[in-house]
Amino acid sequence: MKYVVGYRPDERGADAVALAAVIAKTQGAGLHLVNVVHERTEADAHVEKAALALVPDGIAASYSTLAAESFVRGLIETAREENATLIVVGAASNGLFKRFTVGSVANGLLHASPVPVALAPRGYNRRDPLTRLTVMTGVREGWQAVLDVGTTAAGRRHVPLRLVSLVEIDQLDQKEFELDNALSPARQHVNTVLAEAAARLPDNKVTVTLAHGRNTEEAVDGIGWKSGELVVVGSSRLAENHKIFLGSTASKILRALPVPMVVVPRDFVAPGI
């Protein structure tokens, strides 16, 4: 298993390496750090040394400089050539609460990548392994691929899996859609997904949360987060098969998250992350 890491000699590059290393721990996954430039320079030897120095001991890593017009295209081409299962990049954040704002590279990947993309918030410097995976699951087409990736990743890492379904109260007709109603669409979907995940993982490793708020941001804020957590979300139904397209709900989740996020392409089928 290999992860392609979009590296630049700046804070975002360091964030990406840190997140890639955390996800790779206990997986035997190797990292390929790729610095996409318009043209090579003699200074690249120093950049390589600094980049590899960021990788913790015990994780195999390689480095390459790729001359290309587009950072995004360079990472995608490398991922295809390496049969990588994940692309990891740093994403900017805004304000005091570690919220994401998506830069041009991350935005490009989130609309074109054929493999999952992991986004590291600014200042991400965790060194310990992941402690929990959270899968954001909705009722729209594509949730199965997200559940598969999350369940497989949690099972291999022996960490708990949390399944979260978001409900925006303002979007509901309360008479027809009560959160505590066992027959409500959201509750039925959560129970279906929970049953499927529980069949693949030990019972005590799967929990479910029906998060709700006046909007997506409020719902995300209200469910609690751990520092060693990783969130997995799916692509919009507008995405081409096996490609990512970040939909409006996923974009809102991203802006509200205080932890890293992985976006899974539509109909993605692979060993996981």
Side-chain angles (χ1 to χ4, degrees):
M1 187 176 291
K2 182 171 289 186
Y3 304 154
V4 167
V5 184
Y7 180 78
R8 281 176 170 170
D10 57 20
E11 292 181 357
R12 280 194 210 179
D15 297 340
V17 174
L19 177 58
V22 168
I23 299 176
K25 284 181 182 293
T26 73
Q27 299 305 293
L31 308 183
H32 184 180
L33 280 54
V34 181
N35 183 20
V36 181
V37 297
H38 290 298
E39 58 183 24
R40 300 173 187 270
T41 67
E42 294 181 358
D44 192 60
H46 299 289
V47 175
E48 177 179 359
K49 183 177 180 179
L52 292 175
L54 296 172
V55 181
D57 294 338
I59 297 179
S62 57
Y63 174 95
S64 66
T65 299
L66 177 65
E69 294 184 1
S70 165
F71 198 91
V72 170
R73 183 176 299 175
L75 293 180
I76 291 176
E77 289 177 354
T78 302
R80 284 175 170 151
E81 292 171 359
E82 300 280 348
N83 290 321
T85 58
L86 184 69
I87 296 176
V88 187
V89 294
S93 61
N94 184 29
L96 299 177
F97 299 102
K98 296 290 184 183
R99 302 313 197 209
F100 284 94
T101 58
V102 178
S104 58
V105 171
N107 186 65
L109 288 170
L110 291 177
H111 288 78
S113 177
V115 300
V117 174
L119 302 175
R122 178 174 294 166
Y124 189 82
N125 58 5
R126 184 176 176 84
R127 307 285 284 189
D128 297 326
L130 297 172
T131 58
R132 182 171 69 181
L133 267 72
T134 288
V135 170
M136 296 287 193
T137 175
V139 297
R140 292 176 176 175
E141 181 181 356
W143 66 265
Q144 185 68 56
V146 182
L147 180 62
D148 289 344
V149 169
T151 304
T152 301
R156 282 205 313 266
R157 291 172 172 81
H158 304 290
V159 298
L161 175 67
R162 179 172 65 160
L163 307 174
V164 174
S165 185
L166 296 179
V167 177
E168 293 187 35
I169 300 298
D170 288 351
Q171 302 298 318
L172 305 180
D173 180 340
Q174 291 297 311
K175 294 181 180 180
E176 298 179 359
F177 205 126
E178 295 293 338
L179 295 175
D180 294 330
N181 181 0
L183 298 179
S184 73
R187 182 65 68 184
Q188 287 181 328
H189 177 68
V190 164
N191 290 339
T192 297
V193 174
L194 175 61
E196 182 167 337
R200 297 164 60 179
L201 294 172
D203 291 343
N204 63 348
K205 289 288 187 179
V206 184
T207 58
V208 62
T209 298
L210 184 57
H212 52 86
R214 289 172 297 178
N215 51 53
T216 297
E217 290 83 353
E218 184 177 286
V220 169
D221 278 338
I223 58 178
W225 300 97
K226 295 183 177 181
S227 60
E229 192 149 16
L230 181 69
V231 174
V232 183
V233 303
S235 295
S236 166
R237 64 189 186 281
L238 300 177
E240 298 178 31
N241 288 339
H242 310 298
K243 286 192 176 181
I244 286 176
F245 184 91
L246 197 65
S248 59
T249 299
S251 295
K252 293 176 184 177
I253 293 171
L254 176 61
R255 290 197 297 270
L257 277 179
V259 297
M261 182 170 86
V262 173
V263 185
V264 179
R266 179 184 171 191
D267 300 327
F268 180 71
V269 179
I273 60 174

